[in-house]
Amino acid sequence: GAGVSQSPRYKVAKRGQDVALRCDPISGHVSLFWYQQALGQGPEFLTYFQNEAQLDKSGLPSDRFFAERPEGSVSTLKIQRTQQEDSAVYLCASSLLRTSGSDEQFFGPGTRLTVL
Amino acid sequence: AQSVTQLDSQVPVFEEAPVELRCNYSSSVSVYLFWYVQYPNQGLQLLLKYLSGSTLVKGINGFEAEFNKSQTSFHLRKPSVHISDTAEYFCAVSEGGGFKTIFGAGTRLFVKA
């Protein structure tokens, strides 16, 4: 595709439900990032993949959050037993090369998660 | 630890006026600096970045930013704004060789006719 796509665009979950958010990066991009953006805030780093390897997951807020990229392309962010504080926009970004910190990241439109 | 402070949460400005969006960062090592823009209902896109070399960086849509190491700032400027520049602007920093990019809270630029 032409850009990074994410699905669903909107998700409403009842507290305690599990959710799965999907990211399709730009074809051929090695690096993939997940961010959480709370209302009125900037994106906060969650995790980083280089191909299928998850090299940094230090930003995941709890063990209820899990991300995978099994074949080095599509990635899924899973949140178990959702809580109200998980309500946010979840952004996915990809970049062409393995990151050195200097690369442009291409962002998807985000998934807005609302936990009731 | 790195951090980014965007000093203004909202900046209203009239069309064709100049604008400056302020950004200060803190880091103990050399950094790369970025400005991203988010238009309504769209993903973030890169405006410009500073990696090394000339401290004045030019980006898309007539924007430019100046890296000031002594003041740890990376302010974004445009000499004459358009209505279409209305958007959220994010300053970001990353360390060389690192995986994380740290974003500021954003500045909402509102251009009035």
Side-chain angles (χ1 to χ4, degrees):
Chain A
V4 178
S5 60
Q6 294 185 245
S7 60
R9 290 293 311 278
Y10 303 91
K11 177 69 178 178
V12 178
K14 293 182 180 178
R15 190 171 55 182
Q17 278 186 327
D18 298 348
V19 298
L21 312 180
R22 177 187 169 107
C23 172
D24 285 81
I26 294 172
S27 178
H29 276 199
V30 168
S31 293
L32 186 143
F33 306 81
W34 282 100
Y35 294 88
Q36 180 189 60
Q37 186 176 18
L39 190 63
Q41 299 298 315
E44 286 198 22
F45 172 86
L46 293 178
T47 187
Y48 165 68
F49 288 87
Q50 180 179 303
N51 295 309
E52 70 279 3
Q54 188 175 22
L55 298 186
D56 190 334
K57 56 181 181 180
S58 62
L60 296 177
S62 77
D63 59 8
R64 297 186 294 104
F65 287 71
F66 172 76
E68 60 183 5
R69 194 186 185 199
E71 297 179 359
S73 54
V74 171
S75 178
T76 303
L77 177 66
K78 298 179 179 178
I79 309 173
Q80 297 177 326
R81 305 181 303 281
T82 52
Q83 303 295 314
Q84 284 189 323
E85 61 263 28
D86 300 335
S87 295
V89 176
Y90 291 85
L91 300 173
C92 176
S94 69
S95 62
L96 179 61
L97 303 173
R98 62 178 186 175
T99 189
S100 61
S102 63
D103 310 309
E104 175 181 3
Q105 294 180 36
F106 295 84
F107 283 81
T111 294
R112 182 177 297 277
L113 173 65
T114 302
V115 181
L116 303 177
Chain B
Q2 301 168 81
S3 67
V4 177
T5 302
Q6 292 186 242
L7 296 161
D8 306 292
S9 59
Q10 295 185 70
V11 173
V13 63
F14 284 103
E15 193 174 20
E16 298 183 6
V19 71
E20 178 180 80
L21 306 185
R22 297 179 293 168
C23 173
N24 286 87
Y25 68 94
S26 66
S27 176
S28 58
V29 298
S30 295
V31 297
Y32 302 126
L33 295 158
F34 306 81
W35 276 98
Y36 281 85
V37 60
Q38 186 174 31
Y39 298 105
N41 298 314
Q42 296 186 27
L44 280 77
Q45 55 184 277
L46 183 69
L47 267 181
L48 49 79
K49 63 181 178 181
Y50 171 79
L51 303 182
S52 65
S54 173
T55 57
L56 183 63
V57 180
K58 294 190 182 298
I60 61 172
N61 299 338
F63 284 92
E64 63 181 31
E66 185 154 21
F67 170 58
N68 188 318
K69 187 174 182 178
S70 63
Q71 297 186 4
T72 60
S73 68
F74 191 55
H75 301 332
L76 181 71
R77 302 185 183 100
K78 185 170 182 178
S80 175
V81 294
H82 302 291
I83 297 285
S84 59
D85 292 323
T86 294
E88 187 96 26
Y89 292 80
F90 293 95
C91 182
V93 61
S94 66
E95 293 180 358
F99 303 133
K100 290 184 183 180
T101 300
I102 307 299
F103 286 82
T107 297
R108 182 168 296 279
L109 176 64
F110 179 60
V111 182
K112 302 178 285 186

